[in-house]
C-alpha cells in the first residue's frame, strides 16, 4: 500500500508558534503574605569561643610564608633554567 508524501500547508510554514503563560504563573502574581521573621544564628558572649588562638595564627602565618618562599624559589629556578637554554 502506497503512502502519499506529506506536503506542508502554507499556513504551517509561515506562522510562528505562539506561547501563552499559564493562568496561575508564579512570575506574575504578587506575594500575598510576608514571611515570618526567624532567628538566623545564636550569638554567644563567651570570650573563649572556637578559634585557632595565637599559636594557630603563628602556624598559619608560617605556612603562608613557607608557600610564598617556595613559589619565589621556583620562579628564580625556572628563570635561570630558561635563560641557560636560550
Amino acid at each position: 500500500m502506497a503512502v502519499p508524501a506529506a506536503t506542508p500547508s502554507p499556513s504551517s510554514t509561515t506562522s510562528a508558534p505562539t506561547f501563552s503563560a499559564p493562568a496561575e504563573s508564579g512570575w506574575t502574581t504578587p506575594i500575598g503574605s510576608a514571611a515570618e521573621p526567624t532567628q538566623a544564628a545564636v550569638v554567644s558572649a563567651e570570650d573563649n569561643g572556637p578559634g585557632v588562638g595565637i599559636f594557630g595564627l603563628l602556624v598559619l602565618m608560617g605556612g603562608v610564608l613557607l608557600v610564598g618562599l617556595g613559589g619565589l624559589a621556583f620562579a628564580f629556578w625556572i628563570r635561570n633554567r630558561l635563560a641557560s637554554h636560550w
Side-chain angles (χ1 to χ4, degrees):
M1 178 172 190
V3 177
T7 58
S9 63
S11 63
S12 67
T13 58
T14 58
S15 65
T18 58
F19 299 103
S20 62
E24 294 294 322
S25 174
W27 295 101
T28 58
T29 57
I31 298 173
S33 62
E36 296 181 16
T38 58
Q39 186 174 0
V42 177
V43 178
S44 176
E46 294 181 16
D47 291 337
N48 58 354
V52 293
I54 191 67
F55 179 71
L57 183 62
L58 291 175
V59 169
L60 185 65
M61 289 171 53
V64 169
L65 286 174
L66 184 65
V67 169
L69 288 174
L72 188 64
F74 178 76
F76 281 124
W77 174 75
I78 198 71
R79 179 179 172 229
N80 290 334
R81 180 180 165 99
L82 290 176
S84 66
H85 289 294
W86 299 103

